[in-house]
Amino acid sequence: MDLHIRPQPTSTREAVYDALKDQILNFDLIPGTSISEKEIALHFNVSRTPVRESFLRLAGEGLLDVYPQRGTMVSLIDLSLVEEARFMREQLECAVIRLACHQFSEVDIAELELLLVRQRASMESQDNKSMFELDEAFHRTLFTRCSKSNTWAAMQQMNVHMNRIRKLRLAADHDWQHIYDQHQQMVDSISRQDEERAVNLMKDHMNLAIHDERFLREKFPTYFKP
């Protein structure tokens, strides 16, 4: 288990929390893996208090299951939580892309186009972690440029369950052309102020998660709750 703490943490507790969360979301700690406070404290060379606090926080987000007297394990992926996150994102993403069609400037559109260039580079190098971050940046830009940064931030706790599916899909299947094409078509629709087409594209884009679930459950059956 290769655990790394991010540089310049705000606190030991935050550093442990961030590192564990990254390991879970990137499947370095796979669903169902048992972990212990003692083990993690030794890896990080910290006391057990920040580890215990991180465990409780991650359990509250649904990423760890804590069983008294039995120990702690990385939670299996709960598709009901994934679907709830997808539903929430679809509503908000469709609403914000409507705004983008009328509010985006040429500078805003150029920022999305630059992200597309960088996504293409990630596709060519098959860098799934970079592709995920650039996918996030694309959607975050829609919110921030429409003055909806707080809405984006509010989505993040529930969004973590959908992100597990998204990251697993990018790592398991490097055919990302459809994702890129939809992003490109969204930028074109925003540029043309074609609100109806932009919203339909976003709905299709959010529904990719449903199709990915079937593929991933067949490929990684032990990662999912029955």
Side-chain angles (χ1 to χ4, degrees):
M1 180 168 52
D2 183 19
L3 297 172
H4 301 280
I5 295 180
R6 292 176 179 175
Q8 298 181 334
T10 55
S11 69
T12 300
R13 178 182 59 194
E14 287 297 316
V16 173
Y17 166 79
D18 286 344
L20 282 173
K21 188 170 184 175
D22 281 347
Q23 293 289 323
I24 293 169
L25 292 179
N26 288 317
F27 294 88
D28 297 314
L29 288 169
I30 66 172
T33 300
S34 294
I35 57 175
S36 70
E37 290 180 9
K38 180 179 179 181
E39 174 189 9
I40 299 301
L42 286 172
H43 271 286
F44 289 163
N45 193 28
V46 297
S47 72
R48 292 174 67 167
T49 298
V51 176
R52 184 177 304 113
E53 292 172 344
S54 298
F55 276 21
L56 290 173
R57 188 171 170 186
L58 291 165
E61 294 179 11
L63 294 176
L64 289 180
D65 291 327
V66 180
Y67 301 103
Q69 312 305 321
R70 292 173 52 196
T72 301
M73 66 166 27
V74 178
S75 66
L76 299 178
I77 298 171
D78 187 336
L79 288 178
S80 68
L81 294 176
V82 174
E83 168 53 25
E84 190 171 356
R86 187 208 62 77
F87 174 81
M88 173 194 66
R89 279 200 63 170
E90 180 180 326
Q91 312 312 308
L92 294 173
E93 296 269 8
C94 287
V96 85
I97 205 168
R98 285 184 190 276
L99 294 177
C101 285
H102 302 287
Q103 295 183 15
F104 261 42
S105 67
E106 290 183 3
V107 172
D108 298 331
I109 292 169
E111 183 174 348
L112 292 179
E113 289 173 339
L114 178 59
L115 287 170
L116 288 176
V117 172
R118 295 175 64 193
Q119 285 178 20
R120 173 59 68 183
S122 294
M123 291 168 65
E124 291 173 355
S125 62
Q126 295 192 337
D127 186 340
N128 56 288
K129 291 184 180 180
S130 173
M131 187 64 178
F132 176 83
E133 294 302 328
L134 291 168
D135 188 354
E136 281 288 276
F138 183 93
H139 290 273
R140 184 171 60 248
T141 298
L142 294 176
F143 283 81
T144 58
R145 292 294 187 172
C146 289
S147 301
K148 296 294 180 285
S149 297
N150 289 331
T151 305
W152 173 263
M155 290 197 308
Q156 296 315 302
Q157 182 167 349
M158 186 177 292
N159 199 37
V160 71
H161 302 289
M162 190 172 174
N163 285 348
R164 296 181 84 182
I165 288 284
R166 292 170 60 211
K167 288 192 174 220
L168 186 58
R169 190 272 187 207
L170 290 173
D173 180 1
H174 285 183
D175 182 6
W176 308 328
Q177 188 65 47
H178 192 45
I179 298 170
Y180 175 85
D181 288 345
Q182 287 185 330
H183 284 166
Q184 189 173 50
Q185 291 165 26
M186 286 180 207
V187 174
D188 180 67
S189 297
I190 293 169
S191 180
R192 295 172 183 271
Q193 296 186 322
D194 189 341
E195 180 181 323
E196 183 177 356
R197 179 170 179 251
V199 170
N200 287 334
L201 282 165
M202 185 62 79
K203 286 180 180 178
D204 288 344
H205 193 62
M206 290 295 109
N207 282 329
L208 286 177
I210 296 173
H211 301 295
D212 291 344
E213 287 169 14
R214 301 188 189 110
F215 159 71
L216 293 171
R217 190 155 195 172
E218 289 178 4
K219 191 173 180 66
F220 304 99
T222 60
Y223 285 15
F224 294 85
K225 285 190 175 181

